[in-house]
Amino acid sequence: MTMESDKSREADAEKADTASLKMDGRRQIFEARGLWKIYDMGEVKVTALRDVDFDLFDGEILVLLGASGSGKSTLLNILGGLDKPTEGSVRYRDIILSESDDFQLTQYRRKHVGFVFQFYNLIPSLTARENVELVTEISDDPMPPEEALELVGLEDRMDHFPAQLSGGEQQRVAIARAIAKRPNVLLCDEPTGALDLETGRIVLRALERVNEDLGTAIAVITHNAAISAMGDRVIQMSSGRISKTIINEKRAPLEEIEW
Ligand code: ADP
Ligand code: MG
């Protein structure tokens, strides 16, 4: 199956018009058009993204919702400069990521993007503070590690090692580490995937607080529809396409979110 045959077969298919769903008065920070991602596995080719148009706006919380395998991580990795599309363009402000080389992508990630993953990837032999310091030591204008940890409610846990912290606390250290370099955007791939409801809420609350206090744009991947309510916008993915975009007039308070 080639990309071309895929394309012509699907040319008539309804394409979700995300581009026209603008957020009033907000600057667009990401613009992706016609994104395709095909993983070439030799014998088989896996099409992970099929002609995706995507925008992300300054200061918004965007929830990227979809079943496992629908292409969410692939899209997030492309936005984060961890991977490149097979075809199509993606731009962050004036940086054209789809045309950047590895060095430029590394610079881009270092300067502009914070990542939070499902598993916290903390260094076990370092305390919470030291895990955050690893990042602040190589950043231009970092916040003090203490400030980042306070923002996620871990002021009493700074000198704890990961093994002395709960899963939710470890995830909040990971968030503190991601925001300490003051990124403009935080990309979160299933940040509550390994957590129970109550702990998950606390982690999502920490993300909300980052958004409110620092104005950081946040994209949160989830397969959990309940989490959609916390977003300004919800983009649903299915089989490598955007199947639906919803604008929430008001974000729901996290206390009301159940899963
Ligand atoms: P999601 O995050 O929504 O679960 P992914 O973006 O991880 O989906 O995956 C989309 C599709 O691409 C899946 O079919 C997956 O198996 C495939 N895929 C993802 N990453 C790779 C890779 N590195 N190599 C080959 N196939 C991949
Ligand atoms: Mg994924």
Side-chain angles (χ1 to χ4, degrees):
M1 181 171 61
T2 68
M3 183 168 47
E4 278 65 36
S5 67
D6 239 4
K7 265 186 165 172
S8 53
R9 184 153 43 79
E10 287 156 4
D12 294 329
E14 276 278 293
K15 188 166 154 187
D17 189 10
T18 50
S20 66
L21 276 174
K22 296 287 182 206
M23 297 281 287
D24 284 340
R26 287 196 171 167
R27 255 185 334 155
Q28 176 199 45
I29 52 177
F30 281 100
E31 181 187 78
R33 293 293 176 267
L35 286 189
W36 287 76
K37 180 68 183 183
I38 297 163
Y39 294 105
D40 192 341
M41 314 287 289
E43 287 284 289
V44 266
K45 293 185 178 18
V46 178
T47 304
L49 295 178
R50 299 162 186 266
D51 201 12
V52 166
D53 292 349
F54 174 90
D55 297 293
L56 187 74
F57 297 91
D58 215 5
E60 77 169 322
I61 295 183
L62 173 84
V63 175
L64 207 52
L65 179 69
S68 175
S70 57
K72 307 181 297 296
S73 297
T74 300
L75 177 59
L76 206 79
N77 291 344
I78 291 173
L79 298 176
L82 292 168
D83 202 354
K84 286 204 320 183
T86 309
E87 196 177 295
S89 67
V90 53
R91 174 176 68 75
Y92 168 81
R93 298 209 162 129
D94 55 354
I95 305 172
I96 303 177
L97 301 175
S98 43
E99 291 173 12
S100 298
D101 61 27
D102 287 349
F103 175 75
Q104 291 166 321
L105 288 179
T106 304
Q107 297 297 106
Y108 157 73
R109 286 197 303 269
R110 199 170 275 181
K111 220 170 155 155
H112 300 290
V113 199
F115 292 97
V116 177
F117 296 104
Q118 178 173 355
F119 301 103
Y120 328 116
N121 305 322
L122 301 176
I123 299 190
S125 58
L126 300 179
T127 63
R129 188 200 313 263
E130 290 164 346
N131 266 283
V132 178
E133 266 167 4
L134 277 186
V135 169
T136 57
E137 278 164 7
I138 59 162
S139 305
D140 289 340
D141 174 32
M143 62 174 80
E146 294 76 15
E147 188 183 326
L149 285 161
E150 266 173 45
L151 214 123
V152 298
L154 289 179
E155 54 279 4
D156 299 332
R157 297 285 187 279
M158 302 209 199
D159 297 311
H160 288 228
F161 290 93
Q164 300 170 323
L165 298 168
S166 71
E169 288 168 341
Q170 290 182 60
Q171 188 61 300
R172 284 186 283 152
V173 175
I175 294 171
R177 180 182 56 186
I179 61 169
K181 62 178 176 183
R182 303 183 196 277
N184 295 313
V185 60
L186 201 53
L187 302 177
C188 311
D189 196 342
E190 305 267 7
T192 60
L195 304 173
D196 60 68
L197 169 65
E198 206 44 55
T199 316
R201 273 206 197 111
I202 295 168
V203 165
L204 295 174
R205 179 67 201 124
L207 291 177
E208 263 185 359
R209 173 119 190 253
V210 168
N211 172 264
E212 286 159 11
D213 290 12
L214 307 178
T216 315
I218 301 185
V220 185
I221 284 187
T222 183
H223 59 264
N224 181 348
I227 291 176
S228 307
M230 77 175 287
D232 296 303
R233 274 194 315 148
V234 185
I235 288 185
Q236 274 181 31
M237 292 196 69
S238 123
S239 307
R241 303 168 190 286
I242 291 177
S243 51
K244 197 171 179 186
T245 301
I246 299 161
I247 295 181
N248 288 334
E249 289 302 320
K250 233 170 138 274
R251 295 180 191 165
L254 287 164
E255 307 78 66
E256 291 174 12
I257 294 179
E258 300 281 345
W259 70 80

